[in-house]
Structures are given as C-alpha cells and as structure tokens.
Amino acid sequence: MAVSTNCYGDPMVDELAPRFAQRATWKLSTVAQRSHQLLAAAFAERGRRGYDFRVLAALDHFGELHQAAIGRHTGLDPSDVTQTVRDLEAAGELTRLPSSEDRRRMVIAITPAGKRTLSRLESAIDTAEAALLAPLSDAQRERLLEGLEVLAQAHDRR
Amino acid sequence: MAVSTNCYGDPMVDELAPRFAQRATWKLSTVAQRSHQLLAAAFAERGRRGYDFRVLAALDHFGELHQAAIGRHTGLDPSDVTQTVRDLEAAGELTRLPSSEDRRRMVIAITPAGKRTLSRLESAIDTAEAALLAPLSDAQRERLLEGLEVLAQAHDRR
DNA sequence: TCAAAACGTTGGTGACGCCAACGATATGGA
DNA sequence: TCCATATCGTTGGCGTCACCAACGTTTTGA
C-alpha cells in the first residue's frame, strides 16, 4: 500500500507534516532547492557549477582581479577560489599570472573562451529562472522579488 | 587595504558582481542560505540537524510510522531516514520495533523525550524564523509568503 | 506460483559553505 | 631600519542537504 488513508477513508497521497511544511523557512528552502536543482542541472550539462559562473561573472564585470578580490566579489572562500580558478584555467576559461607589483598575488583574467562560456551559462540561467518563476503572475513575481530584495540586502553575504 | 577604490577614487566596499547579484535566483539563495545558517545553528546547539526535526515532527503529527512512510512524509531519502532514525533512537528520542504485520518494516514511534526535544527545536525555529523575517513589514512579509507558497506548491517536493 | 514491488540498509557522490593552518610576501609603526 | 602584523594563495579538512545504486529480505498481486 503506497498511500495511507485519512480519517474519512479517502485515499490520500502522502503528505508532508504541516508541522514544518507550513513554515516560511520550509517553503523558502523548498523553492531554493528547486532553484538549485534547475541551475545545477544547467551548469552540469556544460561541466560547470555555480562557483565557476560566479568567478567568470566577476571577472567579466570587474576586469582583472587577484584571487582575494575574486573571493570578495563573489562571496567565495579563498580556498574555493583556488580550486575554481584552477579548474577554469585548465579549461582555458581564464588566465592566471603572478602579479609584478605584489608577489603574493595572482592576476586572473577572463579569456574569450571564458566570455563565451559565461554567456552560454547566462542563457541557461535565464531559462532556469523563467521556469522557476513561471507559476507566478507578474504582480506576484514583483511582490516576491521585493521581499527577497529586502531580506537579501539585510542579510547580506560579505 | 581591505577596500578597493572605484573610478572616482572613493573608498568602496567590495561589491558582488551585479551579473549575478541582481538575479532573482541569487537573492533567493542568499536568503535561503541565511535561513539555513540560522536554523542549522539552532539545531547544532542541541546536537541535532534539520533531518532530525523533520522526522520528529512527522512522527508527532502522524503517530507511528514505518521508515518508508517517514521518508514520504518528510521528503527524505530512505537511506537518510535510516541514519536519522538510528541517531534519534540512540538518543532515546524514538523507539524502533519490527512490525508484526510486515516483517520488512520497522515501526517508529516518538518518545516523551522526543516530544520534549521537538518542542524545544520548535521554539528555536520560531526564534530563527523571526530573526530572518524581521526586516520585512507585515505587508511585505505577507506578499513574500504568498509568492513562496505558490512556488513551493508548484515545485512540490514529493 | 512466481515475477515484480516494496522495505531497510550500506556505501557512496556532488554542491555549497566554511574553517584552521601554513609558508611566502607586504605593510606600517616604533 | 626593524619587526610585529596583515594579507595572499594553498592544502586539507568538516558539516549539511540531496540523491543514487545495489543488495538481501519480505510481501504483493497477476
């Protein structure tokens, strides 16, 4: 028996316990999890992950950066920057050269291939984001975004 | 120097790249991450994690359940149910007995200690949730929740 | 009766976020 | 100028959450 029955004897699809399913934090994490699924799948198709996108986007926007700056502009831990930059360099998406001014630093720059990858990832994200938000009316979407904006600002990463 | 300077020479706190920081999915994941931080910290103080809470909540709400049913009522993978139930049983929060009707099944029931833990976790979650949503006005909160509700429903776990 | 399904378990994988510690280098104040 | 302090990149690790494949056991339903 794959379904349980409620007190009326009706067949009942297994339900999540309201004890947590009604919580704002649960709904939030459900939606975020779905978002992550869609994005991770889109990235994985291209052999990349969220970290790669963030690093490429930061380089494209700010130009050359050393790794610590990449970390600050992406919210990544320095150790994760190291790994991500290593992967992206191996894939030819960026260059990594020792700084002439500061011998501790590595100067990272996006390559043309990296820019192409970035725009491909960006389109994939557009698609995923559209799929995620599709169930909302325009008004609902705007109101949701307003709340997220306020909270994201208040609980800033950085 | 912990800050960089913009083109006007003003000191500038390192900013996230708008390329992703302006995306709905980014804001969503930022807020969800913050929520997770608050909840995980609250759980960790009591030596528990989200899985434990979900399992206890399901048992408290539905009564005795076998493990597969716990999985369906919590969104957990069966293998994670196994681990979580093992931990909770070791802590005396639930009992685990072979079913007399179906020798494949284990019948799980919450104990009084488990109920106490559950209500303590619940208070901690209340606090965390309040802290998370505090920056919102009542109207903003309601509008945010409406959007999350629609999306959580549409992209249901199950 | 017997193939198919369900059950619980073991032992993984991956993404993301984070931490401690280290050697090398740069900086700034005494 | 010297030296404590800070920063940089790196290694190796941890925890949470979500998920998967494979397995032996037991139940089911055609």
Side-chain angles (χ1 to χ4, degrees), chain A residues 37 67-68 72 79 86 96 104 106:
Chain A
Q37 269 181 9
Q67 295 186 196
R72 292 186 215 106
S79 63
R86 193 208 316 288
R96 183 174 165 279
R104 293 171 304 179
M106 302 299 295

Side-chain angles (χ1 to χ4, degrees), chain B residues 12-96:
Chain B
M12 182 177 79
V13 174
D14 286 311
E15 277 166 9
L16 297 175
R19 203 72 171 258
F20 57 84
Q22 285 174 359
R23 288 200 169 269
T25 47
W26 174 260
K27 292 171 190 164
L28 176 63
S29 92
T30 298
V31 177
Q33 165 62 15
R34 179 71 180 132
S35 170
H36 175 67
Q37 269 180 9
L38 292 167
L39 292 178
F43 291 145
E45 270 179 25
R46 293 153 184 82
R48 307 251 71 96
R49 3 182 243 156
Y51 283 5
D52 299 306
F53 170 66
R54 288 200 237 169
V55 167
L56 292 176
L59 288 171
D60 191 62
H61 183 262
F62 294 104
E64 285 186 356
L65 292 172
H66 63 279
Q67 294 185 195
I70 292 179
R72 291 186 216 107
H73 287 306
T74 57
L76 264 62
D77 185 89
S79 63
D80 295 320
V81 175
T82 295
Q83 285 296 326
T84 304
V85 163
R86 192 209 316 289
D87 293 348
L88 289 172
E89 188 194 16
E93 319 261 24
L94 52 77
T95 59
R96 183 173 165 278

